[in-house]
C-alpha cells in the first residue's frame, strides 16, 4: 500500500503535540478491526438465527436475552470469540501499540471493541480501557466476585449452524461459586461502571487530553460521546479517522487544530506514528 500523506493542518497539530508534554487519547471502534476481517457489529453478518427466528445484535446482546436464553447467548458469543481468535491485529493496531510504548505515560487507549486485538498487538492491559469488555473473558452471572476469568480456549463454536455441546454448560461455570457465567461484555440494556468497564477512568483521562484520535467508530454509544465532548469543551484537538463521515467528523473539523481524515485506519495510524516519532523531543 502506498504511503498516505497527511494534510498539512494535521501534521502541524501532530508537531505541536510532539513538542509539548500533553496526553494523547485514542478512542477506537469496530472500524479499526475491519481490516483484520472482523465484521462490524451493525453489518448484515451480525444477525443470528436461533430456532426458527432471526435476532438482531441489539436483541442478542442484552441481559434480558441472557436471562431468557442463556445458552443461546453463549452460543452466539462463542462463535464471535472464534471469529476474533482467527483474526490477526493489523497495521492500525500495531501502530497504536508502538505509540503507547513511545509516548510512555502520555498515552491512553479507550476501545469499544471486544475482540482483544489491541492487546494481542501489544497494547498494555493497564493503559487500554476495554469499555465494552472482551469476548475472551467471562464472569460470574450472580456477581459473587468481581474477578473475570478467561473463557476456556477449547470452548468455541466454529460455525453459525453448530449446536452448543451439552458439556459446555458445565464448563461455563464460575470457578468461585459454581453459578453460570456470563460473557464479560457490556450489554445494550446495561450501564457503564468503573469496576468492569473503566467508566470514571475514561472520563478522567478525557479531562486531561490534549489530543484525541477517534478511529473507526460510528459514534452510537454513550461513553465515547462523553469522552469526545469533554475533550472538545476543554479545547483539545480532535482528529477523526474513518472511511465514512460520522457524528464525530464535524466535531473534529471544528476542534482547535483538528480534522477529519476519510481514510482506512490501517493507512493513517502508521503515518501518525512516524510523524510523532520523527518530530518528538522525547
Ligand atoms: N478504517 C476506519 N474506519 C472504518 C473502517 C476502516 N478500515 N472500516 C469501517 N470503518 C468505520 C465505519 O465507517 C463506521 O463508522 O467504522 C465504523 C463502525 O461502526 P459500528 O459498526 O457502529 O461500530 P462501533 O462504532 O464500534 O459500534 C459501537 O456499539 O453495537 C455496539 O457495543 C457495540 O462496541 C459497539 C458499539
Amino acid at each position: 500500500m502506498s504511503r498516505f500523506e497527511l494534510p498539512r493542518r494535521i501534521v502541524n497539530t501532530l508537531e505541536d503535540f510532539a513538542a509539548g508534554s500533553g496526553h494523547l487519547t485514542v478512542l477506537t471502534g469496530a472500524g479499526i478491526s475491519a481490516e483484520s476481517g472482523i465484521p462490524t457489529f451493525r453489518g448484515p453478518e451480525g444477525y443470528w438465527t436461533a430456532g426458527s427466528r432471526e435476532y438482531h445484535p441489539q436483541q442478542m446482546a442484552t441481559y434480558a436475552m441472557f436471562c431468557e436464553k442463556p445458552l443461546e447467548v453463549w452460543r452466539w458469543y462463542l462463535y464471535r470469540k472464534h471469529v476474533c481468535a482467527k483474526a490477526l491485529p493489523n497495521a492500525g493496531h500495531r501502530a497504536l501499540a508502538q505509540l503507547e510504548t513511545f509516548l510512555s505515560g502520555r498515552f491512553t487507549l479507550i476501545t469499544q471493541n471486544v475482540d482483544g486485538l489491541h492487546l494481542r498487538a501489544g497494547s498494555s492491559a493497564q493503559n487500554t480501557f476495554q469499555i465494552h469488555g472482551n469476548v475472551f473473558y467471562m464472569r460470574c452471572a450472580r456477581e459473587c466476585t468481581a474477578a473475570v476469568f478467561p473463557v476456556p480456549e477449547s470452548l468455541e463454536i466454529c460455525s453459525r449452524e453448530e449446536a452448543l455441546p451439552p458439556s459446555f454448560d458445565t464448563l461455563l461455570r464460575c470457578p468461585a461459586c459454581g453459578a453460570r457465567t456470563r460473557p464479560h461484555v457490556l450489554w445494550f440494556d446495561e450501564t457503564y461502571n468503573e469496576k468492569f468497564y473503566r467508566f470514571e477512568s475514561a472520563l478522567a483521562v478525557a479531562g486531561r487530553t490534549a489530543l484525541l484520535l477517534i478511529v473507526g467508530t460510528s459514534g452510537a454509544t454513550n461513553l465515547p460521546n462523553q469522552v469526545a465532548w469533554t475533550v472538545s469543551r476543554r479545547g483539545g484537538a480532535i482528529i477523526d479517522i474513518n472511511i465514512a463521515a460520522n457524528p464525530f467528523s464535524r466535531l473534529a473539523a471544528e476542534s482547535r487544530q483538528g480534522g477529519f481524515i476519510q481514510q482506512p485506519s490501517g493507512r493513517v495510524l502508521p503515518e501518525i506514528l512516524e510523524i510523532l516519532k520523527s518530530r518528538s523531543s522525547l
Side-chain angles (χ1 to χ4, degrees):
M1 197 186 278
S2 61
R3 279 190 71 161
F4 170 67
E5 208 165 307
L6 290 165
R8 188 66 236 170
R9 176 178 158 89
I10 301 294
V11 173
N12 291 343
T13 303
L14 296 172
E15 285 178 346
D16 283 358
F17 176 83
S21 58
H23 197 85
L24 174 68
T25 299
V26 184
L27 171 63
T28 63
I32 194 171
S33 297
E35 289 162 70
S36 294
I38 298 184
T40 54
F41 210 70
R42 292 181 173 79
E45 293 177 67
Y47 284 88
W48 189 249
T49 310
S52 57
R53 277 196 61 183
E54 289 259 294
Y55 292 94
H56 192 267
Q58 266 107 326
Q59 295 169 291
M60 289 304 295
T62 60
Y63 183 66
M65 183 65 93
F66 182 71
C67 292
E68 196 187 320
K69 298 176 191 291
L71 294 180
E72 195 54 42
V73 170
W74 260 122
R75 191 170 79 87
W76 187 54
Y77 276 101
L78 292 177
Y79 174 67
R80 295 186 73 200
K81 176 171 89 70
H82 165 75
V83 171
C84 296
K86 272 195 322 186
L88 293 173
N90 63 51
H93 298 108
R94 289 194 297 273
L96 293 183
Q98 288 177 46
L99 209 46
E100 178 186 356
T101 307
F102 179 68
L103 290 173
S104 189
R106 294 171 56 197
F107 178 94
T108 302
L109 175 55
I110 300 174
T111 185
Q112 299 166 87
N113 299 344
V114 296
D115 57 32
L117 284 178
H118 283 303
L119 301 185
R120 282 171 60 201
S123 289
S124 76
Q126 190 194 352
N127 296 323
T128 304
F129 299 173
Q130 299 179 104
I131 60 170
H132 292 170
N134 182 319
V135 286
F136 292 92
Y137 290 85
M138 61 185 186
R139 60 180 205 254
C140 180
R142 283 204 196 132
E143 290 202 17
C144 80
T145 164
V148 297
F149 309 100
V151 179
E153 223 171 285
S154 60
L155 303 192
E156 59 177 355
I157 294 292
C158 300
S159 84
R160 293 169 153 269
E161 292 71 38
E162 196 176 320
L164 192 89
S167 62
F168 281 21
D169 192 18
T170 48
L171 296 166
L172 291 166
R173 294 279 157 180
C174 171
C177 75
R180 192 187 295 287
T181 52
R182 56 165 283 171
H184 175 51
V185 292
L186 179 69
W187 284 325
F188 283 105
D189 52 356
E190 296 181 310
T191 50
Y192 289 103
N193 61 45
E194 175 66 17
K195 184 167 63 169
F196 295 127
Y197 307 113
R198 314 288 299 267
F199 177 67
E200 276 93 9
S201 299
L203 289 179
V205 163
R208 57 185 165 84
T209 293
L211 172 60
L212 174 68
L213 305 184
I214 302 179
V215 186
T217 178
S218 64
T221 55
N222 179 289
L223 181 53
N225 271 282
Q226 289 201 55
V227 167
W229 281 98
T230 300
V231 175
S232 167
R233 270 195 303 272
R234 291 188 64 258
I238 302 178
I239 299 174
D240 180 35
I241 301 154
N242 198 309
I243 54 169
N246 64 85
F248 293 131
S249 313
R250 188 143 171 223
L251 194 68
E254 288 172 357
S255 78
R256 184 183 58 84
Q257 292 185 302
F260 170 43
I261 306 176
Q262 191 162 4
Q263 290 286 333
S265 45
R267 257 194 122 182
V268 178
L269 292 172
E271 217 38 54
I272 288 180
L273 171 70
E274 280 319 306
I275 291 186
L276 287 177
K277 276 169 86 171
S278 64
R279 315 289 158 86
S280 183
S281 53
L282 286 174

